[in-house]
C-alpha cells in the first residue's frame, strides 16, 4: 500500500510541474498578440511589477500601438534544440513581426530575461521588450507621411480635382478681438459654434495657435488678405495636403468629394489596407468609386526619441506612394457650357397663372455617340465639393440632407419617368415585331380615348395637335399619346417587355458610377391593359435615368447597337511604359473604340425610320421640338417628353428633350444630349418646354473648339 501511495504522489508532482521559461515566454507573447495587456502583466516578475504599475504598463502599450497604428503582431520564440534551463535565470531570443497601417510591416529581434520565482518562471520587463532600442525615459514617436491623392483630369488633362499643399487657418486667443471668432466663422462660411468649440479645448492657451480649418493653398491665397485682417487670425503651413476642386460646383456630383474617414468607415478591412483614423476617403462620385486607384498609399516613420530630446534610432519607415491620376472623358468646355445652360433658365416658365416653377431640379447628359464618352453630365441643385472636403458641421450636413430638392443626389443617374421621350423605343419595338409600319394609321385620335367601356372612367389623353392623318411619323412629331397607347396594346405585354429588354431595360447598367437599372414596370410586372397603354408612351411605372436613356438613344445612330457609356479613359501606366504593341493597344483603349453594350437591339432599317422621325420632330413647324430648328450652327433631331409625377392638375412634371446635334454643314453627329427638368405645377398650353430651352442654350454656348466633328459617327 505504501508503494502505491508513493507512486501516486510522484505522478501528481509530475503532472503539476510548472511551465518552463520558454513556455511562459510563449504565453506572454500570445497575450501580446491578442493585446491582452493584463495577461502580459500577470506574467511579469515581482521586481517588474513593483517598478511599473499595471495601469502605466497597459496605457504605455496601448498609446504606442495606437500611435503606430498596429494592425497585427506575430511573435516567434527561438529556443535551441538542446535548451535546458539551469539556475534561476535564463535569456531567450524571440522575433516579432509588426503589421502597421502607418509604416507597413517590419520585424524586430528581441531578447527576454526570465527569472524563477515561487509561482514559476516570470518575465523580467524593461522598455526593450516594446522595441529593442527603447530605454527607460525614451519615447516612441510616429509621423504620418501623406501620399498625394491622384488627380481627376478632363480628357485634355485640365485639372478637375487635385491635391495641394494645405494651409491651416486658426486663431491665437491672446491676440483676438471680442468679435474675431464670429468674423472668422463668417469668412470661412461655418457655424460660429464650431469655432468656439475649438477655442474651448482644455489645452488652449493665450499664446497658442488654435487651428480651425485646413484649406488648399489656392483657396487660402484668394482669401488670405481678408482673413489676416481679422485680429488674432493666423495662417500656417502644414505637412498635409488638401483636396481642391478648382472649378467649384462644376461636375460636383460626378467628381464627388473626399472627407475625413469616420469610425464606421474605418473597418478592420480598411485598417488592414493601410487606412488610419486621420485619413481622408472618397465619399461620393468618382472620388468614392475609384478610391483604390486615387488614394495611393501614405507612408510613415516610427522612431525613438531619447530622454534628453535627441532623435534616436529609426524603427521603421515606409515612403508614401502617390495615387494614380485618372483622365476622364469629360470635356471641360462642354461641361461648362452644359452647366451654364442648366443654370441660365432657372425661374418661371412663361408668365401667367398657369405657369410652373422650373429649374430647381434638373439633370443633363452629353455623350459622344461614336465612342460612348460622357463629355458632360450635370445635376441640379449642385453643391460645392470644396466645402464638403473641408469638413462641415453636423447642422450644415443636416441642412443639405433635409433639402427637399436633394442637392447631393445625382439626378442624371437616377431613374425618372421619361414620358414621351420614351416613345421612339415603343415605336422601334413595334416596327421590329411587324406590328406596325411607318404608314400605320389607327384612325381618329381623339383628345381623350379608351379601348372600351371596361376601362371605366379612365381615358388616355393627348395634347392638341393639327388635324390630319396620324401615321407613325406624325405621331412622333406631334407626340400623340393615343397613338402609342394603341401601339402598346397591339404589341401585348410579352412582346413589349421583351423588345425593351433588348435595349437593356431591367438589367444592371454598366458604368463607372453606380446607376440603378431602368425598368419597364415594378416588381409585379405590367398589370392590365391600362398600365400597358400608359407604359407605351413612357408613363405607368416606366423609369430610366437620363444617362441610360442617352445610351439607349445611341441605337438610333448606330443602326441598332446600344453603346456602353464610359467616364474614365483608362490607359494603364504599365502599358505606356512597355511601348510597342502594348502601348498601341493602350492608346486604342484611350482613344475609345466604342464598347457595344447591346448589339442589334433593333434592325438597321428600324433605326433609320426613327432617325427620320426625330429629324422631323425638330424640322417640322408643328413638331414639339421645332424651337431647336433655329439653333445657330447646328442641325438638331430628337424627342420631347412630359411625365407627370403624382396625380392632379398641379402635380409636378419632368420635362424632357433627348436627341442629337450635328454641326451645320456636316453629316457627323457631335453630341447626343438628354435634358430633364422638373416643373412644379401645371404649365400653360404652349409654354416652351424648359428642357428644349436648355438644350438650345447649351448648343449656342459650346465653344467652336468643342464642335470639331472629325472621327464622329455618320448619320446614314
Amino acid at each position: 500500500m505504501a508503494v502505491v501511495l508513493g507512486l501516486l504522489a510522484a505522478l501528481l508532482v509530475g503532472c503539476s510541474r510548472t511551465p518552463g521559461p520558454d513556455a511562459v515566454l510563449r504565453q506572454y507573447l500570445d497575450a501580446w498578440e491578442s493585446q491582452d495587456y493584463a495577461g502580459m502583466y500577470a506574467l511579469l516578475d515581482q521586481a517588474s511589477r513593483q517598478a511599473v504599475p499595471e495601469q502605466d504598463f497597459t496605457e504605455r502599450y496601448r498609446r504606442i500601438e495606437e500611435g503606430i497604428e498596429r494592425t497585427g503582431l506575430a511573435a516567434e520564440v527561438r529556443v535551441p534544440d538542446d535548451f535546458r534551463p539551469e539556475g534561476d535565470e535564463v535569456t531567450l531570443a524571440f522575433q516579432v513581426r509588426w503589421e502597421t497601417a502607418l509604416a507597413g510591416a517590419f520585424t524586430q529581434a528581441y531578447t527576454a530575461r526570465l527569472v524563477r520565482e515561487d509561482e514559476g518562471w516570470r518575465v523580467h520587463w524593461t522598455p526593450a521588450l516594446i522595441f529593442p532600442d527603447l530605454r527607460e525615459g525614451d519615447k516612441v514617436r510616429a509621423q504620418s507621411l501623406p501620399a498625394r491623392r491622384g488627380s481627376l483630369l478632363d480628357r485634355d488633362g485640365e485639372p478637375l480635382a487635385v491635391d495641394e499643399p494645405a494651409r491651416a487657418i486658426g486663431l491665437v486667443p491672446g491676440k483676438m478681438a471680442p468679435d474675431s471668432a464670429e468674423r472668422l466663422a463668417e469668412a470661412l462660411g461655418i457655424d460660429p459654434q464650431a469655432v468656439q468649440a475649438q477655442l474651448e479645448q482644455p489645452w488652449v492657451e493665450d499664446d497658442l495657435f488654435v487651428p480651425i480649418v485646413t484649406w488648399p493653398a489656392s483657396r487660402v491665397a484668394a482669401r488670405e488678405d481678408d482673413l489676416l485682417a481679422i485680429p488674432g487670425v493666423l495662417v500656417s503651413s502644414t505637412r498635409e495636403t488638401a483636396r481642391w476642386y478648382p472649378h467649384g460646383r462644376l461636375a460636383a456630383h460626378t467628381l464627388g468629394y473626399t472627407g475625413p474617414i469616420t469610425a464606421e468607415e474605418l473597418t478592420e478591412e480598411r485598417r488592414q489596407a493601410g487606412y488610419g483614423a486621420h485619413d481622408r476617403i472618397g465619399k461620393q462620385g468618382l472620388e468614392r468609386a475609384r478610391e483604390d486607384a486615387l488614394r495611393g498609399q501614405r507612408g510613415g516613420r516610427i522612431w525613438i526619441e531619447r530622454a534628453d530630446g535627441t532623435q534616436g534610432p529609426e524603427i521603421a519607415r515606409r515612403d508614401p506612394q502617390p495615387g494614380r491620376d485618372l483622365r476622364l472623358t469629360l470635356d471641360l468646355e462642354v461641361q461648362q457650357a452644359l452647366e451654364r445652360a442648366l443654370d441660365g433658365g432657372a425661374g418661371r416658365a412663361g408668365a401667367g397663372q398657369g405657369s410652373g416653377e422650373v429649374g430647381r431640379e434638373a439633370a443633363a447628359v452629353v455623350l459622344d455617340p461614336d465612342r460612348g464618352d460622357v463629355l458632360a453630365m450635370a445635376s441640379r441643385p449642385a453643391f460645392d465639393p470644396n466645402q464638403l472636403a473641408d469638413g462641415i458641421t453636423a447642422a450644415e450636413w443636416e441642412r443639405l440632407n433635409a433639402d427637399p430638392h436633394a442637392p447631393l443626389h445625382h439626378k442624371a443617374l437616377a431613374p425618372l419617368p421619361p414620358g414621351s421621350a420614351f416613345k421612339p423605343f415603343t415605336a422601334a419595338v413595334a416596327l421590329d415585331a411587324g406590328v406596325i409600319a411607318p404608314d400605320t394609321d389607327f384612325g381618329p385620335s381623339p383628345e381623350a380615348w379608351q379601348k372600351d367601356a371596361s376601362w371605366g372612367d379612365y381615358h388616355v389623353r393627348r395634347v392638341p395637335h393639327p388635324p390630319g392623318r396620324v401615321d407613325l411619323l406624325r405621331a412622333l412629331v406631334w407626340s400623340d399619346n393615343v397613338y402609342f397607347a394603341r401601339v402598346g396594346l397591339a404589341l401585348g405585354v410579352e412582346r413589349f417587355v421583351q423588345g425593351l429588354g433588348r435595349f437593356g431595360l431591367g438589367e444592371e447598367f454598366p458604368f463607372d458610377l453606380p446607376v440603378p437599372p431602368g425598368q419597364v414596370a415594378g416588381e409585379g410586372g405590367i398589370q392590365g391593359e391600362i398600365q400597358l397603354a400608359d407604359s407605351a408612351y413612357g408613363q405607368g411605372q416606366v423609369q430610366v435615368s437620363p444617362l441610360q436613356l442617352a445610351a439607349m438613344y445611341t441605337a438610333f445612330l448606330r443602326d441598332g447597337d446600344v453603346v456602353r457609356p464610359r467616364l474614365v479613359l483608362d490607359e494603364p501606366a504599365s502599358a505606356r511604359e512597355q511601348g510597342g504593341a502594348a502601348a498601341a493597344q493602350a492608346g486604342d483603349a484611350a482613344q475609345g473604340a466604342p464598347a457595344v453594350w447591346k448589339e442589334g437591339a433593333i434592325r438597321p432599317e428600324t433605326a433609320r425610320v426613327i432617325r427620320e422621325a426625330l429629324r422631323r420632330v425638330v424640322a417640322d413647324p408643328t413638331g414639339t421640338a421645332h424651337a431647336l430648328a433655329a439653333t445657330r450652327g447646328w442641325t438638331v433631331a430628337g424627342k420631347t417628353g412630359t411625365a407627370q409625377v403624382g396625380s392632379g392638375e398641379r402635380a409636378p412634371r419632368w420635362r424632357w428633350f433627348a436627341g442629337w446635334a450635328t454641326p451645320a454643314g456636316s453629316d457627323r453627329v457631335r453630341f447626343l444630349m438628354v435634358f430633364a427638368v422638373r416643373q412644379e405645377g401645371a404649365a400653360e398650353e404652349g409654354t416652351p418646354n424648359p428642357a428644349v430651352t436648355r438644350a438650345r442654350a447649351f448648343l449656342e454656348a459650346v465653344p467652336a473648339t468643342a464642335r470639331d466633328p472629325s472621327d464622329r459617327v455618320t448619320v446614314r
Side-chain angles (χ1 to χ4, degrees), residues 282-436:
K283 301 282 189 174
Q284 185 176 330
L286 283 168
E287 294 279 28
R288 178 174 180 175
R290 293 301 183 101
E291 169 70 16
D292 289 345
L294 291 167
R295 65 176 287 245
Q297 185 180 56
R298 69 188 172 104
R301 58 185 293 257
I302 305 167
W303 75 97
I304 292 172
E305 182 183 284
R306 293 303 186 197
D308 62 3
T310 60
Q311 181 169 308
E314 189 171 76
I315 297 169
R317 181 187 185 95
R318 180 178 65 189
D319 291 328
Q321 299 297 318
R324 178 182 162 195
D325 294 344
L326 294 183
R327 188 161 56 96
L328 309 183
T329 61
L330 297 179
D331 183 313
L332 179 59
E333 290 184 329
V334 177
Q335 183 75 36
Q336 289 170 330
L338 180 67
E339 301 217 18
R340 284 196 300 270
L342 281 185
D343 290 336
R348 303 286 296 180
Q353 189 174 359
S355 298
E357 185 182 355
V358 297
R360 296 292 299 279
E361 295 184 40
V365 177
V366 179
L367 293 184
D368 173 348
D370 185 20
R371 300 183 178 115
D373 290 356
V374 177
L375 300 175
M377 185 161 56
S379 180
R380 287 296 182 270
F383 61 89
D384 185 349
N386 288 310
Q387 293 180 341
L388 294 176
D390 295 337
I392 62 174
T393 65
E396 291 169 323
W397 179 252
E398 179 61 29
R399 179 181 57 78
L400 277 174
N401 277 291
D403 188 325
H405 299 293
L408 296 175
H409 188 45
H410 200 335
K411 298 175 182 66
L413 309 183
L416 302 171
S420 296
F422 191 74
K423 288 174 181 173
F425 302 103
T426 300
V429 170
L431 286 168
D432 267 8
V435 169
I436 61 171

Side-chain angles (χ1 to χ4, degrees), residues 617-621 625-632 634-636 692 696:
V617 170
V618 176
D620 192 311
H626 184 62
L628 288 166
T631 306
R632 294 190 303 273
W634 297 94
T635 300
V636 186
V692 170
R696 180 170 177 174

Side-chain angles (χ1 to χ4, degrees), residues 637-676:
K639 184 72 189 75
T640 58
T642 299
Q644 185 168 311
V645 182
S647 59
E649 286 298 319
R650 303 299 302 173
R653 291 160 169 77
W654 280 99
R655 308 294 301 276
W656 292 79
F657 175 77
W660 53 86
T662 306
S666 173
D667 62 352
R668 297 178 182 273
V669 171
R670 179 66 179 96
F671 299 127
L672 192 153
M673 311 167 291
V674 172
F675 287 79

